[in-house]
Amino acid sequence: MTAKTPPRPTDAELEILTVLWSRGPSTVREVHEIVSRRKETQYTTVLKFMQIMADKGLVRRDEKNRAHVYEASRPREWTQRQLAGDLLERGFAGSAKSLLVGALSARKASAKELVELRKFLDDYEKGIR
Amino acid sequence: MTAKTPPRPTDAELEILTVLWSRGPSTVREVHEIVSRRKETQYTTVLKFMQIMADKGLVRRDEKNRAHVYEASRPREWTQRQLAGDLLERGFAGSAKSLLVGALSARKASAKELVELRKFLDDYEKGIR
DNA sequence: ATCATACTACGAACGTTTTCGTTGTCAAGA
DNA sequence: TCTTGACAACGAAAACGTTCGTAGTATGAT
């Protein structure tokens, strides 16, 4: 029996994951605090999402304390890989170039970011064996 | 009053759009023919989606002939920009590099594709004024 | 012991997405 | 003219995603 990979997070779930990625293990209250800055949301709404995410295997829950502590069950890079890979296939016919074109036309990249991108391409190429 | 931009396409809608992008204006039957190769789907399911998409403004419909002809109402690049931009912000905190890392770790790029990517970066840089 | 508070659990409503069956229409061939 | 096949329209069910209210429970302060 293989542990199955968690499904692609929904929009609301992704927002919560980003909080967990940046804060590390957090309580519902802490996540709600951050999320509700952007978007008016009830505490119990966030709680419900995090419960659902625990069911789906998107997060792990530590119930030792009264206020449960949640953490992303997969590292950020892993989930980002799923997301990027999924969109790459479904919307860009697998063309990484088209994906980058789309991204950089939606959001102008700074000179610094271009340097980063080139550097990554160099490193990536070295990694190919 | 501003003409509002069509909403982000759902998964099923995106699949249909990709067919329209590659084939150009097409009938429901033609789209169904392609889509049903990947995924078992009834004709009327595809029809319904395309009707919904017409309502949403995602596609335009030419009713002159008995078999209506549909075409994407926005060019592929436009929609791809929305998709990439949306994911970039929501899942990658705006970092194009992270998005590319995700994409290229999900799907190994060929040497040729790397050349394309570098070339695009060069062109893109020239375009900044 | 009681009370207020900070939690979790849960149910339900509502909207959206996906799916398909049924019905009605038109056009071409018998 | 009648039938058949190919099509659009529509309704509705089922699944999913989002949102929040209410109820229950544990903890610490009075």
Side-chain angles (χ1 to χ4, degrees), chain A residues 9 14 17-18 21 74-88 99, chain B residues 87-95 97-106:
Chain A
L14 182 52
L17 282 179
T18 62
W21 289 335
R74 300 283 183 163
R76 171 170 44 200
E77 292 71 20
W78 189 93
T79 299
Q80 286 182 335
R81 180 184 144 155
Q82 306 298 306
L83 291 170
D86 174 71
L87 187 62
L88 182 64
L99 179 61
Chain B
L87 187 63
L88 183 63
E89 299 308 328
R90 292 192 307 105
F92 293 82
S95 161
K97 185 199 162 195
S98 301
L99 179 61
L100 190 61
V101 170
L104 295 194
S105 63

PDB file of all heavy atoms in Angstrom, chain A residues 9 14 17-18 21 74-88 99, chain B residues 87-95 97-106:
ATOM      1  N   PRO A   9      -3.722  21.647  -3.884  1.00  0.00           N
ATOM      2  CA  PRO A   9      -4.479  22.514  -2.974  1.00  0.00           C
ATOM      3  C   PRO A   9      -5.408  23.461  -3.726  1.00  0.00           C
ATOM      4  O   PRO A   9      -5.083  23.910  -4.819  1.00  0.00           O
ATOM      5  CB  PRO A   9      -3.390  23.295  -2.245  1.00  0.00           C
ATOM      6  CG  PRO A   9      -2.164  23.191  -3.097  1.00  0.00           C
ATOM      7  CD  PRO A   9      -2.284  21.890  -3.822  1.00  0.00           C
ATOM      8  N   LEU A  14      -4.187  26.960  -0.586  1.00  0.00           N
ATOM      9  CA  LEU A  14      -2.864  27.461  -0.948  1.00  0.00           C
ATOM     10  C   LEU A  14      -2.508  28.687  -0.123  1.00  0.00           C
ATOM     11  O   LEU A  14      -1.372  28.856   0.316  1.00  0.00           O
ATOM     12  CB  LEU A  14      -2.815  27.787  -2.449  1.00  0.00           C
ATOM     13  CG  LEU A  14      -1.473  28.283  -2.981  1.00  0.00           C
ATOM     14  CD1 LEU A  14      -0.323  27.353  -2.613  1.00  0.00           C
ATOM     15  CD2 LEU A  14      -1.549  28.476  -4.494  1.00  0.00           C
ATOM     16  N   LEU A  17      -1.383  27.449   3.149  1.00  0.00           N
ATOM     17  CA  LEU A  17      -0.067  26.812   3.039  1.00  0.00           C
ATOM     18  C   LEU A  17       1.046  27.856   2.997  1.00  0.00           C
ATOM     19  O   LEU A  17       2.089  27.682   3.626  1.00  0.00           O
ATOM     20  CB  LEU A  17      -0.001  25.936   1.788  1.00  0.00           C
ATOM     21  CG  LEU A  17      -0.689  24.576   1.872  1.00  0.00           C
ATOM     22  CD1 LEU A  17      -0.569  23.839   0.553  1.00  0.00           C
ATOM     23  CD2 LEU A  17      -0.112  23.731   3.005  1.00  0.00           C
ATOM     24  N   THR A  18       0.806  28.937   2.265  1.00  0.00           N
ATOM     25  CA  THR A  18       1.873  29.947   2.174  1.00  0.00           C
ATOM     26  C   THR A  18       2.186  30.530   3.551  1.00  0.00           C
ATOM     27  O   THR A  18       3.343  30.833   3.838  1.00  0.00           O
ATOM     28  CB  THR A  18       1.515  31.091   1.199  1.00  0.00           C
ATOM     29  OG1 THR A  18       0.359  31.765   1.679  1.00  0.00           O
ATOM     30  CG2 THR A  18       1.259  30.574  -0.194  1.00  0.00           C
ATOM     31  N   TRP A  21       4.229  27.903   5.322  1.00  0.00           N
ATOM     32  CA  TRP A  21       5.580  27.862   4.775  1.00  0.00           C
ATOM     33  C   TRP A  21       6.436  28.990   5.364  1.00  0.00           C
ATOM     34  O   TRP A  21       7.592  28.794   5.670  1.00  0.00           O
ATOM     35  CB  TRP A  21       5.560  27.996   3.252  1.00  0.00           C
ATOM     36  CG  TRP A  21       5.026  26.788   2.546  1.00  0.00           C
ATOM     37  CD1 TRP A  21       5.009  25.493   3.004  1.00  0.00           C
ATOM     38  CD2 TRP A  21       4.438  26.755   1.245  1.00  0.00           C
ATOM     39  NE1 TRP A  21       4.438  24.669   2.059  1.00  0.00           N
ATOM     40  CE2 TRP A  21       4.084  25.421   0.968  1.00  0.00           C
ATOM     41  CE3 TRP A  21       4.169  27.721   0.275  1.00  0.00           C
ATOM     42  CZ2 TRP A  21       3.480  25.032  -0.229  1.00  0.00           C
ATOM     43  CZ3 TRP A  21       3.578  27.339  -0.915  1.00  0.00           C
ATOM     44  CH2 TRP A  21       3.231  26.003  -1.168  1.00  0.00           C
ATOM     45  N   ARG A  74       4.162  18.704   3.324  1.00  0.00           N
ATOM     46  CA  ARG A  74       5.168  18.629   2.277  1.00  0.00           C
ATOM     47  C   ARG A  74       5.932  19.938   2.259  1.00  0.00           C
ATOM     48  O   ARG A  74       5.346  20.989   2.478  1.00  0.00           O
ATOM     49  CB  ARG A  74       4.506  18.441   0.906  1.00  0.00           C
ATOM     50  CG  ARG A  74       3.674  17.206   0.792  1.00  0.00           C
ATOM     51  CD  ARG A  74       4.539  15.993   0.613  1.00  0.00           C
ATOM     52  NE  ARG A  74       3.716  14.790   0.441  1.00  0.00           N
ATOM     53  CZ  ARG A  74       4.223  13.664  -0.067  1.00  0.00           C
ATOM     54  NH1 ARG A  74       5.476  13.601  -0.436  1.00  0.00           N
ATOM     55  NH2 ARG A  74       3.456  12.609  -0.188  1.00  0.00           N
ATOM     56  N   PRO A  75       7.203  19.887   1.940  1.00  0.00           N
ATOM     57  CA  PRO A  75       7.961  21.134   1.862  1.00  0.00           C
ATOM     58  C   PRO A  75       7.441  22.021   0.739  1.00  0.00           C
ATOM     59  O   PRO A  75       6.859  21.530  -0.237  1.00  0.00           O
ATOM     60  CB  PRO A  75       9.394  20.687   1.580  1.00  0.00           C
ATOM     61  CG  PRO A  75       9.296  19.268   1.141  1.00  0.00           C
ATOM     62  CD  PRO A  75       8.037  18.702   1.695  1.00  0.00           C
ATOM     63  N   ARG A  76       7.642  23.287   0.918  1.00  0.00           N
ATOM     64  CA  ARG A  76       7.184  24.252  -0.080  1.00  0.00           C
ATOM     65  C   ARG A  76       7.603  23.843  -1.491  1.00  0.00           C
ATOM     66  O   ARG A  76       6.789  23.849  -2.415  1.00  0.00           O
ATOM     67  CB  ARG A  76       7.770  25.628   0.236  1.00  0.00           C
ATOM     68  CG  ARG A  76       7.522  26.627  -0.875  1.00  0.00           C
ATOM     69  CD  ARG A  76       7.882  28.034  -0.465  1.00  0.00           C
ATOM     70  NE  ARG A  76       9.154  28.094   0.240  1.00  0.00           N
ATOM     71  CZ  ARG A  76       9.519  29.095   1.024  1.00  0.00           C
ATOM     72  NH1 ARG A  76       8.711  30.112   1.213  1.00  0.00           N
ATOM     73  NH2 ARG A  76      10.684  29.086   1.631  1.00  0.00           N
ATOM     74  N   GLU A  77       8.854  23.469  -1.642  1.00  0.00           N
ATOM     75  CA  GLU A  77       9.369  23.142  -2.978  1.00  0.00           C
ATOM     76  C   GLU A  77       8.588  21.997  -3.619  1.00  0.00           C
ATOM     77  O   GLU A  77       8.372  21.984  -4.823  1.00  0.00           O
ATOM     78  CB  GLU A  77      10.853  22.764  -2.900  1.00  0.00           C
ATOM     79  CG  GLU A  77      11.771  23.918  -2.536  1.00  0.00           C
ATOM     80  CD  GLU A  77      11.624  24.343  -1.074  1.00  0.00           C
ATOM     81  OE1 GLU A  77      11.107  23.545  -0.238  1.00  0.00           O
ATOM     82  OE2 GLU A  77      11.994  25.492  -0.752  1.00  0.00           O
ATOM     83  N   TRP A  78       8.197  21.070  -2.799  1.00  0.00           N
ATOM     84  CA  TRP A  78       7.480  19.915  -3.327  1.00  0.00           C
ATOM     85  C   TRP A  78       6.129  20.339  -3.892  1.00  0.00           C
ATOM     86  O   TRP A  78       5.747  19.966  -5.005  1.00  0.00           O
ATOM     87  CB  TRP A  78       7.288  18.886  -2.209  1.00  0.00           C
ATOM     88  CG  TRP A  78       6.761  17.563  -2.687  1.00  0.00           C
ATOM     89  CD1 TRP A  78       7.492  16.479  -3.043  1.00  0.00           C
ATOM     90  CD2 TRP A  78       5.378  17.225  -2.882  1.00  0.00           C
ATOM     91  NE1 TRP A  78       6.655  15.469  -3.435  1.00  0.00           N
ATOM     92  CE2 TRP A  78       5.352  15.892  -3.356  1.00  0.00           C
ATOM     93  CE3 TRP A  78       4.176  17.894  -2.704  1.00  0.00           C
ATOM     94  CZ2 TRP A  78       4.177  15.228  -3.657  1.00  0.00           C
ATOM     95  CZ3 TRP A  78       3.002  17.234  -3.008  1.00  0.00           C
ATOM     96  CH2 TRP A  78       3.011  15.908  -3.478  1.00  0.00           C
ATOM     97  N   THR A  79       5.419  21.124  -3.126  1.00  0.00           N
ATOM     98  CA  THR A  79       4.094  21.562  -3.557  1.00  0.00           C
ATOM     99  C   THR A  79       4.200  22.515  -4.744  1.00  0.00           C
ATOM    100  O   THR A  79       3.409  22.444  -5.687  1.00  0.00           O
ATOM    101  CB  THR A  79       3.358  22.239  -2.386  1.00  0.00           C
ATOM    102  OG1 THR A  79       3.212  21.285  -1.328  1.00  0.00           O
ATOM    103  CG2 THR A  79       1.986  22.727  -2.813  1.00  0.00           C
ATOM    104  N   GLN A  80       5.188  23.368  -4.696  1.00  0.00           N
ATOM    105  CA  GLN A  80       5.374  24.287  -5.820  1.00  0.00           C
ATOM    106  C   GLN A  80       5.682  23.523  -7.095  1.00  0.00           C
ATOM    107  O   GLN A  80       5.271  23.916  -8.186  1.00  0.00           O
ATOM    108  CB  GLN A  80       6.495  25.275  -5.509  1.00  0.00           C
ATOM    109  CG  GLN A  80       6.069  26.334  -4.497  1.00  0.00           C
ATOM    110  CD  GLN A  80       7.145  27.346  -4.222  1.00  0.00           C
ATOM    111  OE1 GLN A  80       8.334  27.072  -4.385  1.00  0.00           O
ATOM    112  NE2 GLN A  80       6.738  28.535  -3.798  1.00  0.00           N
ATOM    113  N   ARG A  81       6.393  22.443  -6.940  1.00  0.00           N
ATOM    114  CA  ARG A  81       6.687  21.619  -8.101  1.00  0.00           C
ATOM    115  C   ARG A  81       5.417  21.027  -8.683  1.00  0.00           C
ATOM    116  O   ARG A  81       5.228  20.987  -9.902  1.00  0.00           O
ATOM    117  CB  ARG A  81       7.645  20.514  -7.660  1.00  0.00           C
ATOM    118  CG  ARG A  81       8.029  19.591  -8.751  1.00  0.00           C
ATOM    119  CD  ARG A  81       8.902  18.491  -8.182  1.00  0.00           C
ATOM    120  NE  ARG A  81       8.593  17.255  -8.870  1.00  0.00           N
ATOM    121  CZ  ARG A  81       9.431  16.244  -8.989  1.00  0.00           C
ATOM    122  NH1 ARG A  81      10.624  16.305  -8.444  1.00  0.00           N
ATOM    123  NH2 ARG A  81       9.080  15.163  -9.647  1.00  0.00           N
ATOM    124  N   GLN A  82       4.521  20.563  -7.812  1.00  0.00           N
ATOM    125  CA  GLN A  82       3.240  20.044  -8.291  1.00  0.00           C
ATOM    126  C   GLN A  82       2.459  21.123  -9.031  1.00  0.00           C
ATOM    127  O   GLN A  82       1.922  20.902 -10.109  1.00  0.00           O
ATOM    128  CB  GLN A  82       2.361  19.558  -7.126  1.00  0.00           C
ATOM    129  CG  GLN A  82       3.004  18.543  -6.209  1.00  0.00           C
ATOM    130  CD  GLN A  82       3.370  17.272  -6.916  1.00  0.00           C
ATOM    131  OE1 GLN A  82       2.521  16.669  -7.557  1.00  0.00           O
ATOM    132  NE2 GLN A  82       4.625  16.870  -6.834  1.00  0.00           N
ATOM    133  N   LEU A  83       2.401  22.288  -8.417  1.00  0.00           N
ATOM    134  CA  LEU A  83       1.608  23.369  -8.980  1.00  0.00           C
ATOM    135  C   LEU A  83       2.160  23.819 -10.327  1.00  0.00           C
ATOM    136  O   LEU A  83       1.424  23.943 -11.307  1.00  0.00           O
ATOM    137  CB  LEU A  83       1.587  24.560  -8.010  1.00  0.00           C
ATOM    138  CG  LEU A  83       0.807  24.357  -6.712  1.00  0.00           C
ATOM    139  CD1 LEU A  83       1.077  25.505  -5.748  1.00  0.00           C
ATOM    140  CD2 LEU A  83      -0.688  24.244  -7.005  1.00  0.00           C
ATOM    141  N   ALA A  84       3.458  24.043 -10.353  1.00  0.00           N
ATOM    142  CA  ALA A  84       4.069  24.506 -11.593  1.00  0.00           C
ATOM    143  C   ALA A  84       3.972  23.425 -12.662  1.00  0.00           C
ATOM    144  O   ALA A  84       3.642  23.704 -13.820  1.00  0.00           O
ATOM    145  CB  ALA A  84       5.526  24.904 -11.355  1.00  0.00           C
ATOM    146  N   GLY A  85       4.241  22.191 -12.274  1.00  0.00           N
ATOM    147  CA  GLY A  85       4.182  21.096 -13.224  1.00  0.00           C
ATOM    148  C   GLY A  85       2.785  20.904 -13.774  1.00  0.00           C
ATOM    149  O   GLY A  85       2.589  20.710 -14.985  1.00  0.00           O
ATOM    150  N   ASP A  86       1.812  21.016 -12.904  1.00  0.00           N
ATOM    151  CA  ASP A  86       0.422  20.850 -13.324  1.00  0.00           C
ATOM    152  C   ASP A  86       0.013  21.933 -14.324  1.00  0.00           C
ATOM    153  O   ASP A  86      -0.544  21.641 -15.383  1.00  0.00           O
ATOM    154  CB  ASP A  86      -0.472  20.915 -12.086  1.00  0.00           C
ATOM    155  CG  ASP A  86      -1.946  20.897 -12.434  1.00  0.00           C
ATOM    156  OD1 ASP A  86      -2.420  19.834 -12.855  1.00  0.00           O
ATOM    157  OD2 ASP A  86      -2.600  21.948 -12.309  1.00  0.00           O
ATOM    158  N   LEU A  87       0.320  23.156 -13.990  1.00  0.00           N
ATOM    159  CA  LEU A  87      -0.054  24.245 -14.907  1.00  0.00           C
ATOM    160  C   LEU A  87       0.737  24.159 -16.208  1.00  0.00           C
ATOM    161  O   LEU A  87       0.201  24.399 -17.296  1.00  0.00           O
ATOM    162  CB  LEU A  87       0.169  25.606 -14.251  1.00  0.00           C
ATOM    163  CG  LEU A  87      -0.361  26.779 -15.082  1.00  0.00           C
ATOM    164  CD1 LEU A  87      -1.855  26.698 -15.283  1.00  0.00           C
ATOM    165  CD2 LEU A  87       0.032  28.118 -14.470  1.00  0.00           C
ATOM    166  N   LEU A  88       1.993  23.800 -16.072  1.00  0.00           N
ATOM    167  CA  LEU A  88       2.846  23.645 -17.252  1.00  0.00           C
ATOM    168  C   LEU A  88       2.209  22.691 -18.256  1.00  0.00           C
ATOM    169  O   LEU A  88       2.118  22.992 -19.452  1.00  0.00           O
ATOM    170  CB  LEU A  88       4.208  23.117 -16.802  1.00  0.00           C
ATOM    171  CG  LEU A  88       5.298  22.921 -17.856  1.00  0.00           C
ATOM    172  CD1 LEU A  88       5.699  24.249 -18.472  1.00  0.00           C
ATOM    173  CD2 LEU A  88       6.520  22.233 -17.250  1.00  0.00           C
ATOM    174  N   LEU A  99       5.614  29.290 -20.272  1.00  0.00           N
ATOM    175  CA  LEU A  99       5.236  29.590 -18.890  1.00  0.00           C
ATOM    176  C   LEU A  99       5.983  30.818 -18.395  1.00  0.00           C
ATOM    177  O   LEU A  99       5.411  31.729 -17.776  1.00  0.00           O
ATOM    178  CB  LEU A  99       5.539  28.386 -17.997  1.00  0.00           C
ATOM    179  CG  LEU A  99       5.227  28.544 -16.503  1.00  0.00           C
ATOM    180  CD1 LEU A  99       3.743  28.805 -16.270  1.00  0.00           C
ATOM    181  CD2 LEU A  99       5.683  27.323 -15.713  1.00  0.00           C
TER     182      LEU A  99
ATOM    183  N   LEU B  87      -0.839  32.237 -10.722  1.00  0.00           N
ATOM    184  CA  LEU B  87      -0.100  31.245  -9.934  1.00  0.00           C
ATOM    185  C   LEU B  87       1.167  31.843  -9.346  1.00  0.00           C
ATOM    186  O   LEU B  87       1.542  31.559  -8.205  1.00  0.00           O
ATOM    187  CB  LEU B  87       0.240  30.022 -10.792  1.00  0.00           C
ATOM    188  CG  LEU B  87       0.863  28.868  -9.995  1.00  0.00           C
ATOM    189  CD1 LEU B  87      -0.105  28.329  -8.958  1.00  0.00           C
ATOM    190  CD2 LEU B  87       1.338  27.760 -10.908  1.00  0.00           C
ATOM    191  N   LEU B  88       1.815  32.669 -10.124  1.00  0.00           N
ATOM    192  CA  LEU B  88       3.030  33.345  -9.658  1.00  0.00           C
ATOM    193  C   LEU B  88       2.773  34.073  -8.346  1.00  0.00           C
ATOM    194  O   LEU B  88       3.532  33.941  -7.385  1.00  0.00           O
ATOM    195  CB  LEU B  88       3.482  34.339 -10.733  1.00  0.00           C
ATOM    196  CG  LEU B  88       4.775  35.119 -10.504  1.00  0.00           C
ATOM    197  CD1 LEU B  88       5.964  34.182 -10.442  1.00  0.00           C
ATOM    198  CD2 LEU B  88       4.977  36.162 -11.606  1.00  0.00           C
ATOM    199  N   GLU B  89       1.682  34.811  -8.293  1.00  0.00           N
ATOM    200  CA  GLU B  89       1.382  35.570  -7.078  1.00  0.00           C
ATOM    201  C   GLU B  89       0.914  34.676  -5.944  1.00  0.00           C
ATOM    202  O   GLU B  89       1.367  34.797  -4.814  1.00  0.00           O
ATOM    203  CB  GLU B  89       0.300  36.632  -7.347  1.00  0.00           C
ATOM    204  CG  GLU B  89       0.675  37.691  -8.383  1.00  0.00           C
ATOM    205  CD  GLU B  89       2.010  38.372  -8.094  1.00  0.00           C
ATOM    206  OE1 GLU B  89       2.366  38.528  -6.914  1.00  0.00           O
ATOM    207  OE2 GLU B  89       2.712  38.715  -9.075  1.00  0.00           O
ATOM    208  N   ARG B  90      -0.010  33.788  -6.263  1.00  0.00           N
ATOM    209  CA  ARG B  90      -0.630  33.006  -5.203  1.00  0.00           C
ATOM    210  C   ARG B  90       0.252  31.908  -4.639  1.00  0.00           C
ATOM    211  O   ARG B  90       0.183  31.593  -3.463  1.00  0.00           O
ATOM    212  CB  ARG B  90      -1.943  32.403  -5.683  1.00  0.00           C
ATOM    213  CG  ARG B  90      -3.038  33.453  -5.942  1.00  0.00           C
ATOM    214  CD  ARG B  90      -4.389  32.808  -6.138  1.00  0.00           C
ATOM    215  NE  ARG B  90      -4.354  31.772  -7.168  1.00  0.00           N
ATOM    216  CZ  ARG B  90      -4.370  30.468  -6.939  1.00  0.00           C
ATOM    217  NH1 ARG B  90      -4.459  30.008  -5.722  1.00  0.00           N
ATOM    218  NH2 ARG B  90      -4.329  29.618  -7.950  1.00  0.00           N
ATOM    219  N   GLY B  91       1.085  31.319  -5.482  1.00  0.00           N
ATOM    220  CA  GLY B  91       1.840  30.162  -5.016  1.00  0.00           C
ATOM    221  C   GLY B  91       3.337  30.361  -4.904  1.00  0.00           C
ATOM    222  O   GLY B  91       4.032  29.552  -4.303  1.00  0.00           O
ATOM    223  N   PHE B  92       3.808  31.458  -5.506  1.00  0.00           N
ATOM    224  CA  PHE B  92       5.255  31.633  -5.554  1.00  0.00           C
ATOM    225  C   PHE B  92       5.690  32.999  -5.049  1.00  0.00           C
ATOM    226  O   PHE B  92       6.808  33.426  -5.303  1.00  0.00           O
ATOM    227  CB  PHE B  92       5.753  31.400  -6.983  1.00  0.00           C
ATOM    228  CG  PHE B  92       5.587  29.978  -7.437  1.00  0.00           C
ATOM    229  CD1 PHE B  92       4.359  29.525  -7.918  1.00  0.00           C
ATOM    230  CD2 PHE B  92       6.630  29.074  -7.343  1.00  0.00           C
ATOM    231  CE1 PHE B  92       4.191  28.200  -8.312  1.00  0.00           C
ATOM    232  CE2 PHE B  92       6.473  27.760  -7.732  1.00  0.00           C
ATOM    233  CZ  PHE B  92       5.257  27.318  -8.228  1.00  0.00           C
ATOM    234  N   ALA B  93       4.811  33.663  -4.345  1.00  0.00           N
ATOM    235  CA  ALA B  93       5.118  34.969  -3.777  1.00  0.00           C
ATOM    236  C   ALA B  93       5.755  35.906  -4.798  1.00  0.00           C
ATOM    237  O   ALA B  93       6.638  36.700  -4.472  1.00  0.00           O
ATOM    238  CB  ALA B  93       6.026  34.813  -2.553  1.00  0.00           C
ATOM    239  N   GLY B  94       5.334  35.763  -6.054  1.00  0.00           N
ATOM    240  CA  GLY B  94       5.831  36.665  -7.081  1.00  0.00           C
ATOM    241  C   GLY B  94       7.216  36.348  -7.618  1.00  0.00           C
ATOM    242  O   GLY B  94       7.724  37.066  -8.474  1.00  0.00           O
ATOM    243  N   SER B  95       7.818  35.273  -7.160  1.00  0.00           N
ATOM    244  CA  SER B  95       9.165  34.951  -7.617  1.00  0.00           C
ATOM    245  C   SER B  95       9.170  34.100  -8.883  1.00  0.00           C
ATOM    246  O   SER B  95       8.872  32.906  -8.865  1.00  0.00           O
ATOM    247  CB  SER B  95       9.928  34.219  -6.514  1.00  0.00           C
ATOM    248  OG  SER B  95      11.037  33.522  -7.061  1.00  0.00           O
ATOM    249  N   LYS B  97      11.661  33.139 -10.474  1.00  0.00           N
ATOM    250  CA  LYS B  97      12.687  32.107 -10.382  1.00  0.00           C
ATOM    251  C   LYS B  97      12.102  30.846  -9.731  1.00  0.00           C
ATOM    252  O   LYS B  97      12.274  29.740 -10.233  1.00  0.00           O
ATOM    253  CB  LYS B  97      13.881  32.591  -9.579  1.00  0.00           C
ATOM    254  CG  LYS B  97      15.003  31.570  -9.580  1.00  0.00           C
ATOM    255  CD  LYS B  97      15.979  31.807  -8.446  1.00  0.00           C
ATOM    256  CE  LYS B  97      16.802  30.556  -8.190  1.00  0.00           C
ATOM    257  NZ  LYS B  97      17.496  30.622  -6.906  1.00  0.00           N
ATOM    258  N   SER B  98      11.388  31.023  -8.626  1.00  0.00           N
ATOM    259  CA  SER B  98      10.792  29.860  -7.965  1.00  0.00           C
ATOM    260  C   SER B  98       9.839  29.120  -8.892  1.00  0.00           C
ATOM    261  O   SER B  98       9.792  27.891  -8.905  1.00  0.00           O
ATOM    262  CB  SER B  98      10.035  30.273  -6.708  1.00  0.00           C
ATOM    263  OG  SER B  98      10.896  30.908  -5.803  1.00  0.00           O
ATOM    264  N   LEU B  99       9.093  29.893  -9.657  1.00  0.00           N
ATOM    265  CA  LEU B  99       8.160  29.262 -10.594  1.00  0.00           C
ATOM    266  C   LEU B  99       8.914  28.414 -11.606  1.00  0.00           C
ATOM    267  O   LEU B  99       8.534  27.272 -11.898  1.00  0.00           O
ATOM    268  CB  LEU B  99       7.345  30.348 -11.316  1.00  0.00           C
ATOM    269  CG  LEU B  99       6.330  29.855 -12.352  1.00  0.00           C
ATOM    270  CD1 LEU B  99       5.267  28.973 -11.722  1.00  0.00           C
ATOM    271  CD2 LEU B  99       5.675  31.031 -13.064  1.00  0.00           C
ATOM    272  N   LEU B 100      10.006  28.959 -12.115  1.00  0.00           N
ATOM    273  CA  LEU B 100      10.792  28.216 -13.100  1.00  0.00           C
ATOM    274  C   LEU B 100      11.446  26.992 -12.457  1.00  0.00           C
ATOM    275  O   LEU B 100      11.481  25.915 -13.064  1.00  0.00           O
ATOM    276  CB  LEU B 100      11.853  29.136 -13.712  1.00  0.00           C
ATOM    277  CG  LEU B 100      12.591  28.570 -14.913  1.00  0.00           C
ATOM    278  CD1 LEU B 100      11.642  28.266 -16.066  1.00  0.00           C
ATOM    279  CD2 LEU B 100      13.706  29.517 -15.370  1.00  0.00           C
ATOM    280  N   VAL B 101      11.934  27.156 -11.251  1.00  0.00           N
ATOM    281  CA  VAL B 101      12.507  26.017 -10.528  1.00  0.00           C
ATOM    282  C   VAL B 101      11.466  24.908 -10.420  1.00  0.00           C
ATOM    283  O   VAL B 101      11.742  23.744 -10.718  1.00  0.00           O
ATOM    284  CB  VAL B 101      12.977  26.429  -9.114  1.00  0.00           C
ATOM    285  CG1 VAL B 101      13.336  25.196  -8.291  1.00  0.00           C
ATOM    286  CG2 VAL B 101      14.167  27.381  -9.196  1.00  0.00           C
ATOM    287  N   GLY B 102      10.259  25.300 -10.020  1.00  0.00           N
ATOM    288  CA  GLY B 102       9.197  24.306  -9.901  1.00  0.00           C
ATOM    289  C   GLY B 102       8.924  23.622 -11.219  1.00  0.00           C
ATOM    290  O   GLY B 102       8.849  22.389 -11.296  1.00  0.00           O
ATOM    291  N   ALA B 103       8.800  24.411 -12.265  1.00  0.00           N
ATOM    292  CA  ALA B 103       8.471  23.855 -13.580  1.00  0.00           C
ATOM    293  C   ALA B 103       9.558  22.901 -14.069  1.00  0.00           C
ATOM    294  O   ALA B 103       9.271  21.794 -14.509  1.00  0.00           O
ATOM    295  CB  ALA B 103       8.260  24.984 -14.585  1.00  0.00           C
ATOM    296  N   LEU B 104      10.787  23.332 -13.932  1.00  0.00           N
ATOM    297  CA  LEU B 104      11.882  22.507 -14.468  1.00  0.00           C
ATOM    298  C   LEU B 104      12.227  21.326 -13.571  1.00  0.00           C
ATOM    299  O   LEU B 104      12.913  20.407 -14.007  1.00  0.00           O
ATOM    300  CB  LEU B 104      13.134  23.357 -14.712  1.00  0.00           C
ATOM    301  CG  LEU B 104      13.000  24.429 -15.793  1.00  0.00           C
ATOM    302  CD1 LEU B 104      14.367  24.951 -16.188  1.00  0.00           C
ATOM    303  CD2 LEU B 104      12.273  23.903 -17.026  1.00  0.00           C
ATOM    304  N   SER B 105      11.748  21.340 -12.346  1.00  0.00           N
ATOM    305  CA  SER B 105      11.971  20.135 -11.551  1.00  0.00           C
ATOM    306  C   SER B 105      10.836  19.147 -11.779  1.00  0.00           C
ATOM    307  O   SER B 105      10.987  17.945 -11.582  1.00  0.00           O
ATOM    308  CB  SER B 105      12.150  20.464 -10.067  1.00  0.00           C
ATOM    309  OG  SER B 105      10.976  21.041  -9.540  1.00  0.00           O
ATOM    310  N   ALA B 106       9.699  19.655 -12.238  1.00  0.00           N
ATOM    311  CA  ALA B 106       8.588  18.754 -12.552  1.00  0.00           C
ATOM    312  C   ALA B 106       8.830  18.074 -13.891  1.00  0.00           C
ATOM    313  O   ALA B 106       8.407  16.949 -14.131  1.00  0.00           O
ATOM    314  CB  ALA B 106       7.274  19.523 -12.591  1.00  0.00           C
TER     315      ALA B 106
END
